[in-house]
Amino acid sequence: MRRPALYSTSRPARAGTPAGAPAGSDPANTETPSVAAAAAAGAAPSRWSRWRPDPSRPVWLWAAILLLAAALVATLVSRPQQRRLTQDDITAAVLKTLSTETLPSEYSRAYDRIRPSVVRVVSYVKRSRLKGDDAKAAAHGARPKPLGPAGGEGAEGDEVESGVGTGVVIIDKGVILTNLHVVAGSDRIKVTFHDGLEATATITGVQAENDLAVLQAAKIPDDMIAATMRSTADLAPGDKVLAVGFPFGIGPSASGGIVSGLGRAFKSPEGKQEMKNLIQFDAAANPGNSGGPLVTMDGEVVGIVTAILNPTPARTFLGIGFAVPIENAASAAGLPPF
């Protein structure tokens, strides 16, 4: 009886298979044992691998910073430099503006600054009292004469308009300076502010020697602005001034001129009063300007218009007006001197 064939568990190496290679390996794999072992353990680093970018290495971080800095410097150097302005450039720009833009005049700027502080002042007397004093008033030539529109604008019932003048707010609580002759002997005083608000006013102070009266308005605008007063110490003949008021009740009206003289004296037509240390000016002023401000080109008050010189009965302007220096006017209101 034949014995069954026995087979060994090891097989001879196939042709092309390296000796010692594991059984079942791919005969197409022709790598040498050393290469295969190196591949199994991980490829050995090449000589160029040390220069491969690695963010974790400081040398590459510094290299990136230097590269960015170089790019920034190159950008700044290549940018065209801006030319510096010279005085000739500035002069040319100013001349161009002056030739293309219409700028307000000095008088216009002064008017804009003083306008919110100027008020219209109207005084009234009772008709019954006026009639009773007719004979006495006619004898002294002192009967009140309306200076505003005919018909007694604003008169109520038994009242008649006796005078129209101007005032200027010197304290934003409604304290107003005006001329005493505008409100003297009145039964009621009405003031009209720049925004149209009308209010009654009372006399709180008088400086008769300078024909000044201080009024307190019963109510004032919410945005009341008081005038800025300026010392006359540096005022000189030839300085530009602006007179603002309500001549014959029309206004507010502005007229420009210069200071004609200082330290002048003026005697009233009736000869009852002589005022001294007045500012003489040639800005047009007429009845109704009385009590208004005389201001500089900065819009600052240097005087209160009080009189005009006219030897004729016309009571119109002939080129000579007088104002009380603001130092005297301010003292009438109890304000400290400059």
Side-chain angles (χ1 to χ4, degrees):
M1 178 178 226
R2 296 182 63 182
R3 296 177 63 183
L6 298 177
Y7 297 94
S8 174
T9 57
S10 61
R11 296 180 181 180
R14 296 180 181 180
T17 302
S25 61
D26 187 358
N29 187 354
T30 59
E31 291 180 344
T32 61
S34 60
V35 175
S46 68
R47 61 177 180 173
W48 302 106
S49 62
R50 73 182 64 181
W51 303 108
R52 187 175 301 162
D54 185 357
S56 65
R57 298 176 64 182
V59 65
W60 290 108
L61 179 60
W62 284 107
I65 293 175
L66 290 175
L67 183 62
L68 291 175
L72 178 61
V73 170
T75 301
L76 294 177
V77 170
S78 62
R79 179 182 299 174
Q81 294 294 325
Q82 185 176 5
R83 190 171 66 87
R84 298 181 63 180
L85 289 177
T86 64
Q87 184 60 47
D88 291 340
D89 296 329
I90 297 173
T91 302
V94 171
L95 292 176
K96 182 178 180 181
T97 300
L98 292 176
S99 63
T100 57
E101 299 290 337
T102 302
L103 301 178
S105 67
E106 291 179 289
Y107 290 115
S108 177
R109 291 195 298 268
Y111 176 81
D112 287 340
R113 291 176 182 173
I114 194 61
R115 175 66 189 94
S117 306
V118 178
V119 300
R120 186 173 189 260
V121 181
V122 183
S123 61
Y124 301 94
V125 296
K126 292 182 178 179
R127 195 183 304 272
S128 56
R129 185 167 68 85
L130 183 62
K131 288 180 179 179
D133 294 337
D134 263 349
K136 185 184 297 185
H140 292 85
R143 179 174 178 174
K145 298 179 180 180
L147 301 181
E153 177 190 359
E156 297 179 2
D158 191 35
E159 291 181 337
V160 61
E161 181 182 295
S162 62
V164 174
T166 308
V168 58
V169 178
I170 59 171
I171 301 177
D172 59 9
K173 294 181 179 179
V175 178
I176 301 168
L177 270 178
T178 189
N179 278 153
L180 179 59
H181 73 260
V182 174
V183 296
S186 62
D187 294 310
R188 184 170 69 93
I189 302 169
K190 182 182 74 175
V191 294
T192 305
F193 293 94
H194 73 284
D195 63 349
L197 175 68
E198 296 182 351
T200 58
T202 55
I203 300 175
T204 60
V206 169
Q207 194 177 81
E209 64 273 20
N210 287 310
D211 190 25
L212 293 170
V214 182
L215 308 179
Q216 174 62 63
K219 55 183 178 179
I220 60 175
D222 294 333
D223 58 346
M224 186 73 261
I225 299 175
T228 300
M229 295 179 287
R230 169 183 164 180
S231 171
T232 60
D234 60 348
L235 197 65
D239 286 345
K240 293 180 180 180
V241 286
L242 183 76
V244 182
F246 292 84
F248 299 104
I250 302 171
S253 299
S255 57
I258 63 170
V259 173
S260 303
L262 300 169
R264 301 295 198 232
F266 172 78
K267 182 176 290 187
S268 64
E270 296 82 12
K272 293 182 179 180
Q273 182 180 8
E274 182 178 359
M275 292 183 287
K276 298 180 180 180
N277 192 35
L278 300 176
I279 302 170
Q280 179 188 339
F281 62 90
D282 69 352
N286 285 287
N289 276 106
S290 295
L294 185 71
V295 303
T296 65
M297 294 300 95
D298 294 325
E300 298 172 337
V301 181
V302 290
I304 300 297
V305 177
T306 191
I308 56 176
L309 180 62
N310 188 341
T312 73
R315 302 178 67 206
T316 55
F317 186 66
L318 292 180
I320 299 178
F322 298 102
V324 178
I326 195 61
E327 288 88 346
N328 296 354
S331 67
L335 297 180
F338 294 98

